[in-house]
Amino acid sequence: MPIERDLRGKRFFVTGATGFLGTALVERIVRQVPEAEVTVLIRPGRRADPGARLAREVIKNDCFDRLRDELGDRFDEEVGRRVRAVAGDVGHDGLGLDEDGRAALADADVVIHSAATVSFDAPLTQAVEINLLGPSRVAAAMAANGSKGHLIAVSTAYVASTHQGEAKEELLSENPFTLDVPWEDEVSSARRLRDDLQAESRRPDRLAGFAKKARGEIGAAGDHLVATRSEKLREEWVSEELVKAGTARALSLGWPDAYPFTKALGERALVEQWAGTVPITLVRPSIIESALAEPRPGWIRGFRMAEPIIVSFARGLLAEFPGVPEGIVDVIPVDLVVAAILAVAARGPESGRPEVYQVASGVRNPLRYGRLVELATGFFQRNPLYDDRGQPISVPEWSFPGRGRVQRQLRRADSVMTFVEKVITALPIRGRQAQLAARIEDRHALAKRALGYVELYGAYTETDARYRVDNLLALADGCDAADRAQFPFDPAAIDWDSYVLEIHLPSVLEHTRVRTKPGRSVVDKRPERQRRAILSPDRHLAVFDLEHTLMSSNVVDTYAWLASRHLGPARRARFVADLVRQGPALLALDRRDRGDFLRSFYRRFENAPLDRLREDSWELFHRQLLTRSFPDGLARVRAHRALGHRTLLITGALDFIIEPIRPLFDDIVCAEMEQRDGRLTGHLTTLPPIGEARAILLADYASSHSLSLEESVAYADSASDLAMLEAVGFPVAVNPESRLSAIARRRGWHVEHWAKAEGGSHRPLPLGPFDVTSPKAVLGR
């Protein structure tokens, strides 16, 4: 069976080409099957048509580097002549094909369906639409368009579930260990559940809960952002419930999760509907991992099942994982799977009934779980990863506990960290202190990730199932020596020690952002790169918040200073005591709605003499605000101006208070208060520029000055400024409070920690001169 000869000039139609297996398939066909043509089905993106996605996500992948080197200047021409994309989606009946796509499918000699939702924790309806219904949709489209091609449907060995004993290469209808579940009922049930959950998520009490959680996460960032986050939480809740439902249903029928469950029903649906009409072959790989040799040893695309566990182990984050030392980790290199599929395509369908080939290593050449752990431990002892301080990380000594014990430990840790996170986030801390919340959030994320690994993959390390490969070996026996050299797929060819130590683990480290060398990194640290980008001459605009961004002050501080400026000691003490008693209520209002807080608090200026306040504001600036300013922050304003950037201050502070710093900026937007007969009314003339209003104002300002927000920088300290920070291309969190600190850390935003200058007066209130005037007389109270 000369594979190259039998496939020469064939027309292939491939789904799932942007995935790990699909990319390897396309590359191998182009490189090793002369004159073969490949049409790939690609779902159009929001910003890219199928052709653009093919070029960006498939052809530019390093999988094609070998072919690129072999063809040199002819690469683009050759690939462009032999590979093309058509628009379509296996999640829709008819595949959504246009006329060009229907013609390509009709002319195809071989149709390889490798598209799938491969995540073990995909929402049930997503897995049903893609994994269960996808193969049948491809077969239906072939029949509807008159295709005489051979359909090779890529499934998974785990459709035979994880029962004890050997699973043969047979249709599931012939397997006594899999339940005969009507797939139509599962489809309608999943769709009905999705609709029910959508309705449940819109109940008033649910919506109120999502809104409350959103406010807790982003604070007084504005109604629109809270609503946006609330809707995101609603969608996530529906998705999480569908994940739980899929896992529960799969477990109830003997499968570990929704992936093999829906794949199994997909096989049944395909065979029941289309066997006898469309020539069908089922190829069932086990867990596909990095390449043994083709296109190069260690080639991999994205993280597979084992990589997150391996990296977490190497970083000392995963102290133990369930499984038994004698258990088998049934993995297979991707190039062996590709070779097996091409051998199946060359052989063609030889009978009227569907055939099954399992591509797995567990029976033919088993890799024991205990041996894998031993190899990984030795590798990382010899080649440790390094922490942020450049110190080697010692890998833990793994035990082999039961899955239940590990899950209980991680769930307890999750509960404790959830509680601690809530407490820390509620505290009025900022800057480096707020980083504690971010560090706790990171550790919480690691604990949840470890729990996810255990819940998702634990069943696969504990399985006693063995997947036979008799048909696969018979296929290999039919290959001549040249085929076995060019298209090897016998699992016996794998030397596991060599593969793990010399190919797979080095490849994992190559594709992971981990430190593999001691000492300080010679590469610029991320904050330094970000700071250079922020201070690039290419930037257009730098916009600053004031309070806790450029100086450690707030409206309560400035009011207290001005209101007590002319009070004697006794009256000042009573005034301060009264203000302190109001502190918790003021803080709560500020966190709930910054605009309401400012409008309410500024009422205290009613009937205050404006001329005296202007005079006192200069005294306030020199005696208090200047000593509370951040020299690095003021220097940053000057740096932007020196680079030719326009500078803008947006603050909720009153105009007469910030008058002394007006020369620092090109423009200032601040709060202004009505006045009548030389006295303030306590009413603002416009909405305070806070929250979402800042983002709108910023957009209008940039437009009026022909500036690009994508090339602009924003500095702020609070989650209430989230809309403004999101509006620019270069957001900077300055001395962030705990909520913003967590957001900035998650999104990779630049963070600055600016401090007050050493020395100087730090008195919160003036010492004199005193008179007997009351606060009411001074500020109209």
Side-chain angles (χ1 to χ4, degrees):
M1 184 185 66
I3 296 174
E4 180 181 318
R5 184 201 67 190
D6 290 346
L7 293 181
R8 176 185 289 269
K10 295 289 187 181
R11 293 181 294 270
F12 290 82
F13 189 98
V14 178
T15 71
T18 58
F20 177 39
L21 177 61
T23 298
L25 262 168
V26 174
E27 188 275 342
R28 194 79 169 271
I29 293 170
V30 176
R31 180 164 53 84
Q32 291 192 323
V33 182
E35 297 307 313
E37 296 179 359
V38 185
T39 299
V40 298
L41 182 77
I42 296 182
R43 184 176 63 252
R46 290 183 178 179
R47 300 181 180 178
D49 60 26
R53 288 194 63 196
L54 170 65
R56 184 180 69 243
E57 299 177 37
V58 181
I59 306 303
K60 287 186 178 180
N61 186 273
D62 61 350
C63 181
F64 283 78
D65 285 353
R66 176 174 174 179
L67 183 62
R68 197 174 280 110
D69 291 340
E70 291 177 1
L71 295 177
D73 295 338
R74 296 187 298 112
F75 176 82
D76 290 339
E77 179 185 354
E78 182 73 5
V79 172
R81 181 175 65 86
R82 296 176 59 192
V83 183
R84 66 182 181 125
V86 296
D89 187 347
V90 299
H92 293 89
D93 291 340
L95 305 183
L97 293 172
D98 57 17
E99 184 176 348
D100 188 33
R102 290 191 294 270
L105 184 60
D107 292 341
D109 300 300
V110 181
V111 178
I112 303 175
H113 175 54
S114 67
T117 295
V118 297
S119 172
F120 293 171
D121 59 347
L124 178 59
T125 46
Q126 182 182 350
V128 163
E129 295 296 336
I130 305 299
N131 297 342
L132 196 163
L133 295 175
S136 296
R137 287 185 176 128
V138 173
M142 291 174 66
N145 290 283
S147 173
K148 303 299 183 183
H150 173 203
L151 174 59
I152 301 174
V154 180
S155 184
T156 173
Y158 292 94
V159 296
S161 77
T162 53
H163 64 76
Q164 293 181 335
E166 295 184 343
K168 299 178 181 179
E169 292 163 297
E170 58 189 3
L171 297 176
L172 292 179
S173 58
E174 301 167 351
N175 186 332
F177 295 101
T178 57
L179 297 178
D180 185 8
V181 180
W183 60 269
E184 301 95 333
D185 292 348
E186 297 302 318
V187 173
S188 59
S189 176
R191 289 172 173 172
R192 187 167 56 250
L193 175 62
R194 175 194 58 201
D195 295 341
D196 291 345
L197 288 170
Q198 288 286 355
E200 169 70 16
S201 71
R202 289 172 167 84
R203 280 177 39 191
D205 57 331
R206 289 279 183 196
L207 294 174
F210 299 139
K212 181 179 180 181
K213 186 175 181 181
R215 283 192 296 271
E217 288 182 4
I218 62 177
D223 291 342
H224 175 72
L225 284 180
V226 170
T228 300
R229 180 56 184 154
S230 180
E231 176 62 10
K232 182 68 174 178
L233 290 170
R234 186 194 67 79
E235 293 171 351
E236 289 175 354
W237 179 84
V238 172
S239 179
E240 289 167 3
E241 291 301 309
L242 286 170
V243 170
K244 293 176 186 176
T247 302
R249 183 58 176 154
L251 288 171
S252 74
L253 297 174
W255 285 279
D257 52 68
Y259 174 64
F261 165 54
T262 53
K263 277 290 198 178
L265 296 188
E267 282 192 19
R268 285 185 180 274
L270 176 64
V271 171
E272 286 179 16
Q273 295 179 99
W274 299 105
T277 303
V278 175
I280 297 170
T281 301
L282 301 172
V283 175
R284 297 174 181 163
S286 56
I287 299 168
I288 305 177
E289 286 293 349
S290 65
L292 179 66
E294 302 280 350
R296 62 175 174 81
W299 176 78
I300 195 169
R301 178 169 188 168
F303 264 16
R304 318 315 303 165
M305 172 184 150
E307 284 70 59
I309 300 172
I310 290 172
V311 172
S312 295
F313 167 70
R315 295 175 64 190
L317 303 175
L318 201 57
E320 54 188 3
F321 200 80
V324 292
E326 300 83 7
I328 292 174
V329 182
D330 203 320
V331 298
I332 194 79
V334 63
D335 47 336
L336 271 66
V337 181
V338 169
I341 292 173
L342 293 180
V344 168
R347 180 177 184 270
E350 292 197 351
S351 66
R353 69 192 304 273
E355 297 175 301
V356 178
Y357 294 90
Q358 291 178 167
V359 191
S361 60
V363 171
R364 177 72 166 165
N365 184 13
L367 171 62
R368 302 288 175 184
Y369 183 39
R371 181 57 179 163
L372 176 60
V373 172
E374 182 182 337
L375 290 171
T377 300
F379 178 86
F380 288 112
Q381 285 175 342
R382 294 186 299 273
N383 308 278
L385 302 187
Y386 292 84
D387 60 23
D388 293 339
R389 296 169 297 177
Q391 299 301 309
I393 299 173
S394 298
V395 292
E397 185 173 334
W398 260 11
S399 59
F400 297 91
R403 188 160 28 131
R405 193 186 89 185
V406 179
Q407 285 176 324
R408 287 191 296 272
Q409 291 174 345
L410 291 172
R411 283 171 183 160
R412 282 197 297 270
D414 177 49
S415 298
V416 171
M417 290 185 182
T418 298
F419 173 76
V420 172
E421 249 184 4
K422 288 181 179 179
V423 171
I424 293 294
T425 302
L427 294 176
I429 57 176
R430 61 177 58 253
R432 297 190 184 278
Q433 292 177 323
Q435 286 187 308
L436 173 63
R439 287 194 295 271
I440 291 174
E441 183 183 26
D442 282 349
R443 295 192 67 83
H444 191 189
L446 291 171
K448 288 195 289 189
R449 197 177 306 147
L451 178 60
Y453 296 156
V454 171
E455 291 178 338
L456 286 177
Y457 306 137
Y460 294 88
T461 58
E462 293 180 332
T463 182
D464 289 321
R466 304 291 181 266
Y467 305 106
R468 296 197 62 84
V469 290
D470 303 282
N471 293 347
L472 183 77
L473 296 180
L475 183 66
D477 288 342
C479 296
D480 58 26
D483 281 340
R484 285 195 290 271
Q486 190 173 4
F487 298 96
F489 53 86
D490 185 347
I494 307 169
D495 178 337
W496 287 118
D497 285 14
S498 173
Y499 174 77
V500 172
L501 296 176
E502 299 171 18
I503 296 175
H504 187 64
L505 291 182
S507 176
V508 169
L509 296 187
E510 178 186 345
H511 291 86
T512 309
R513 294 180 179 178
V514 292
R515 295 188 62 178
T516 58
K517 295 181 179 180
R520 295 180 61 86
S521 174
V522 296
V523 180
D524 288 337
K525 291 184 178 179
R526 184 175 185 178
E528 294 170 356
R529 296 196 304 271
Q530 290 176 322
R531 193 174 289 114
R532 283 200 301 272
I534 287 165
L535 292 174
S536 165
D538 295 334
R539 302 293 81 81
H540 291 187
L541 169 69
V543 57
F544 293 82
D545 177 39
L546 178 65
E547 296 170 354
H548 297 295
T549 302
L550 294 176
M551 56 184 61
S552 178
S553 183
N554 56 59
V555 297
V556 178
D557 288 342
T558 55
Y559 166 77
W561 199 96
L562 292 170
S564 62
R565 174 74 179 91
H566 302 285
L567 294 181
R571 290 183 180 276
R572 184 184 296 115
R574 289 195 297 271
F575 167 78
V576 171
D578 182 57
L579 198 59
V580 168
R581 281 195 299 271
Q582 299 173 47
L586 293 173
L587 179 61
L589 178 59
D590 186 27
R591 287 190 165 190
R592 187 167 60 248
D593 191 302
R594 180 69 171 171
D596 285 348
F597 166 74
L598 289 178
R599 281 188 289 268
S600 172
F601 194 80
Y602 283 160
R603 297 284 190 275
R604 298 166 185 255
F605 284 91
E606 182 181 355
N607 207 33
L610 182 56
D611 288 342
R612 174 176 282 185
L613 285 174
R614 283 174 174 162
E615 182 181 339
D616 287 347
S617 291
W618 279 93
E619 187 77 10
L620 166 69
F621 175 74
H622 288 291
R623 292 203 179 188
Q624 188 197 53
L625 297 185
L626 195 58
T627 60
R628 290 190 171 194
S629 66
F630 304 138
D632 289 337
L634 301 182
R636 181 63 57 85
V637 179
R638 295 190 182 98
H640 279 291
R641 296 195 74 174
L643 288 165
H645 306 159
R646 197 167 188 90
T647 55
L648 173 67
L649 175 68
I650 302 181
T651 177
L654 291 164
D655 55 348
F656 54 83
I657 292 176
I658 54 91
E659 187 63 29
I661 61 173
R662 188 174 292 277
L664 271 176
F665 302 90
D666 291 302
D667 292 292
I668 290 180
V669 179
C670 59
E672 296 182 8
M673 192 172 289
E674 294 177 347
Q675 56 173 301
R676 189 178 298 116
D677 300 328
R679 290 183 176 271
L680 299 178
T681 66
H683 298 283
L684 297 174
T685 58
T686 58
L687 180 74
I690 47 87
E692 292 162 352
R694 293 191 175 191
I696 296 171
L697 185 151
L698 182 57
D700 291 342
Y701 182 89
S703 177
S704 65
H705 290 83
S706 300
L707 305 172
S708 169
L709 290 182
E710 286 294 319
E711 294 295 338
S712 298
V713 188
Y715 297 82
D717 71 293
S718 171
S720 64
D721 295 314
L722 190 58
M724 183 177 78
L725 291 168
E726 290 180 334
V728 300
F730 298 87
V732 181
V734 179
N735 302 334
E737 44 82 34
S738 54
R739 286 194 183 99
L740 182 59
S741 180
I743 292 170
R745 194 174 183 87
R746 283 196 299 269
R747 300 189 185 183
W749 289 354
H750 185 61
V751 177
E752 293 281 7
H753 297 287
W754 293 338
K756 294 180 291 186
E758 295 294 328
S761 172
H762 298 288
R763 298 187 182 95
L765 298 173
L767 289 179
F770 306 127
D771 62 25
V772 294
T773 311
S774 69
K776 182 176 181 180
V778 175
L779 294 182
R781 298 284 293 175

